[in-house]
Amino acid sequence: MFEWLMDDRTRQWRDEVRDFVKSVPRQMILDMDADRIRFPKEFLQEAGRRNLLGCRYPKQWGGRDMDWVSTCVAMEEVGTLGYIFACTFGVGAELVCDAIVLHGTDAQKERYVVPLLKGEIFAAECLTEPRGGSDFFGTTTTAVDKGDHFLLNGQKRFIVGGEGADYFLVYARTDPKAKPHEGITCFIVDRGPGVETAYHYGLMGCRGGGTSRLVFKDVKVPKENVLGRIHGGFEVFKTMMIPERLGTAAMTIGAARPALEIATGYSTRRKAFGKPIQEFQGVSFQVAEAAMLLDASRAMVHATAQAVDRKAPAATVRRMISETKKFVTESCQKVVHHAMQVMGGIGYTTIFPVERIYRDLRLASIWTGTNEIMATIIAHEWYKEYWAMKEARLTRDVEQDAAGADDVEEKVYE
């Protein structure tokens, strides 16, 4: 995040997170990528001990009463360790906690948020199913009302923290006859009888986060573990899209940043034809574009974080978050591409971490809503915004500012 846009408190917070990031052992990063560590409990425990998890939540529940700008600063810095570190950092403390803080009871916050932000327990969000991820309303996981509890059955896959989490945020259909968006409930499900980690995925990148398929077989979920209201899962889901997608954008910047730094340093030392390769435009222009894309990405994240913090209209926030997630993830993938191109063959080896960063960041435009879904949301919200603006006559009618504007017979639309 830009230094001059931070106040003193945010800058001090950023420095705290940086100190934590510098303390993480190199071997942990290597072991995560090799899947020797299946879930980084020690990493999250230390973050909790330092009170770095969930900074924007009330102090009453273990947060710091900060804001989304501060959260994005933290997510970028943690992302420099590797994308999966930011994923696991954010899934529990930013996604699951966000849902419980916004929609949960005080008893739920005391039981599930407070110890998680201390790093004592861990959580995961269960959204995607084997039959599909983007079709949230098509969930086939069911929860049947049995009086004092619900009986949960179904499967969820690609769950970061599926191995390692102590409890899960699970969406399930509770009214099969209702409209898809009106018959889903969100539950807090403790790991226990009937909760099975059935499969651990071998991933191209982002390893070490316990990404698994979970199976729920006749799991008894007490009524007090309904999050929000029964059949009100869509209300929880809507608010979750902010931390999922804005958090993803911020951490993607952090994960891409080291690739640019490594390529920049390499270009000053590596020589070809008798001079450092930074002196060749074919190299320096790629470094320049990568730096530009990172700065543009930070600007979008900062503006969107400000929009959320200042409670901009919900439709505007939806559009900005979707734009930010799409633009930032695609731009950062280009950043890493440029970095590897600058380094040439050595960048394709394990001598430098650029190849790992390249593998990790391929996830960015897929998870938390594919970028195609983001484009759909952007278009939908923009057209609504356009017509509202036209009907309110808020701006000049620029269509008339053409020499032939009155030649209406030439304006054929059908």
Side-chain angles (χ1 to χ4, degrees):
M1 196 64 73
F2 303 122
E3 186 84 16
W4 57 90
L5 293 178
M6 299 181 195
D7 57 25
D8 289 342
R9 187 186 185 203
T10 305
R11 194 176 298 109
Q12 290 169 5
W13 160 249
R14 188 274 316 274
D15 291 345
E16 275 191 67
V17 180
R18 281 185 172 177
D19 286 342
F20 168 58
V21 167
K22 287 189 285 188
S23 76
V24 173
R26 167 181 177 267
Q27 194 59 46
M28 180 180 287
I29 296 172
L30 301 179
D31 287 346
M32 289 274 284
D33 189 46
D35 251 341
R36 288 188 290 267
I37 293 177
R38 299 290 281 266
F39 185 75
K41 290 186 176 182
E42 292 182 6
F43 165 74
L44 295 173
Q45 287 167 344
E46 181 60 23
R49 280 192 288 268
R50 295 182 184 225
N51 193 209
L52 301 179
L53 298 172
C55 73
R56 72 180 184 281
Y57 304 125
K59 291 181 180 179
Q60 178 184 3
W61 309 117
R64 294 196 180 197
D65 286 316
M66 299 182 83
D67 54 17
W68 257 109
V69 170
S70 302
T71 299
C72 289
V73 167
M75 294 304 292
E76 176 176 342
E77 293 303 325
V78 174
T80 62
L81 286 166
Y83 207 52
I84 192 58
F85 284 89
C87 290
T88 54
F89 184 92
V91 162
E94 300 299 335
L95 300 185
V96 176
C97 280
D98 207 68
I100 300 174
V101 168
L102 289 176
H103 301 276
T105 64
D106 283 357
Q108 289 171 339
K109 294 170 191 175
E110 192 67 47
R111 180 175 177 183
Y112 293 105
V113 172
V114 172
L116 188 144
L117 296 185
K118 289 180 179 178
E120 296 172 353
I121 61 174
F122 315 101
E125 179 198 26
C126 297
L127 191 62
T128 302
E129 296 193 357
R131 61 170 299 281
S134 298
D135 184 11
F136 167 72
F137 298 119
T139 179
T140 59
T141 298
T142 61
V144 179
D145 193 336
K146 294 295 184 180
D148 64 340
H149 68 275
F150 281 87
L151 204 61
L152 180 70
N153 283 279
Q155 297 188 32
K156 303 287 184 177
R157 73 170 175 176
F158 305 147
I159 307 306
V160 175
E163 284 194 31
D166 298 293
Y167 70 93
F168 308 93
L169 206 63
V170 182
Y171 295 88
R173 189 164 302 286
T174 45
D175 186 352
K177 296 180 181 179
K179 293 178 181 178
H181 67 286
E182 295 177 353
I184 295 173
T185 303
C186 186
F187 298 92
I188 303 170
V189 180
D190 293 301
R191 186 184 290 278
V195 179
E196 177 189 358
T197 302
Y199 186 81
H200 181 87
Y201 290 100
L203 301 177
M204 172 181 169
C206 289
R207 301 166 184 157
T211 304
S212 309
R213 176 163 55 88
L214 288 170
V215 177
F216 302 98
K217 295 180 180 178
D218 293 331
V219 181
K220 291 184 178 181
V221 184
K223 283 283 180 69
E224 58 265 30
N225 277 32
V226 170
L227 186 60
R229 64 179 182 86
I230 296 173
H231 311 318
F234 180 49
E235 297 162 7
V236 180
F237 174 80
K238 283 194 300 184
T239 58
M240 292 287 281
M241 293 305 98
I242 296 175
E244 281 209 352
R245 292 163 183 174
L246 183 51
T248 287
M251 72 190 204
T252 304
I253 297 171
R257 197 174 86 197
L260 173 59
E261 293 172 356
I262 291 165
T264 301
Y266 182 82
S267 70
T268 65
R269 291 174 289 182
R270 179 75 162 96
K271 292 184 178 180
F273 306 103
K275 56 184 178 180
I277 62 173
Q278 75 172 108
E279 296 183 22
F280 295 102
Q281 288 183 344
V283 171
S284 63
F285 281 10
Q286 293 198 71
V287 171
E289 182 172 4
M292 176 188 70
L293 289 171
L294 278 184
D295 279 344
S297 295
R298 284 194 191 92
M300 286 197 76
V301 166
H302 185 86
T304 303
Q306 290 272 14
V308 178
D309 285 335
R310 299 184 183 195
K311 303 188 187 309
T316 300
V317 169
R318 269 195 303 277
R319 177 171 63 81
M320 290 183 70
I321 282 178
S322 300
E323 288 172 349
T324 301
K325 195 268 181 181
K326 185 177 189 301
F327 178 84
V328 171
T329 56
E330 292 174 1
S331 295
C332 287
Q333 286 168 345
K334 291 177 184 176
V335 167
V336 183
H337 169 83
H338 287 315
M340 184 168 283
Q341 203 67 18
V342 165
M343 298 185 71
I346 197 67
Y348 198 67
T349 72
T350 58
I351 302 301
F352 291 93
V354 176
E355 63 84 25
R356 170 176 55 80
I357 298 169
Y358 194 96
R359 287 187 284 109
D360 286 351
L361 279 197
R362 188 59 188 86
L363 175 63
S365 55
I366 297 173
W367 88 318
T368 68
T370 66
N371 282 8
E372 289 71 27
I373 293 292
M374 297 303 100
T376 301
I377 296 170
I378 294 163
H380 177 74
E381 297 298 343
W382 170 249
Y383 275 106
K384 285 201 306 182
E385 189 173 323
Y386 167 81
W387 283 114
M389 180 177 62
K390 295 291 284 185
E391 289 169 5
R393 298 184 178 181
L394 298 176
T395 59
R396 180 185 180 86
D397 185 2
V398 294
E399 188 176 316
Q400 301 306 311
D401 295 338
D406 296 330
D407 297 331
V408 294
E409 68 274 10
E410 293 300 322
K411 295 182 177 181
V412 180
Y413 302 112
E414 295 183 2

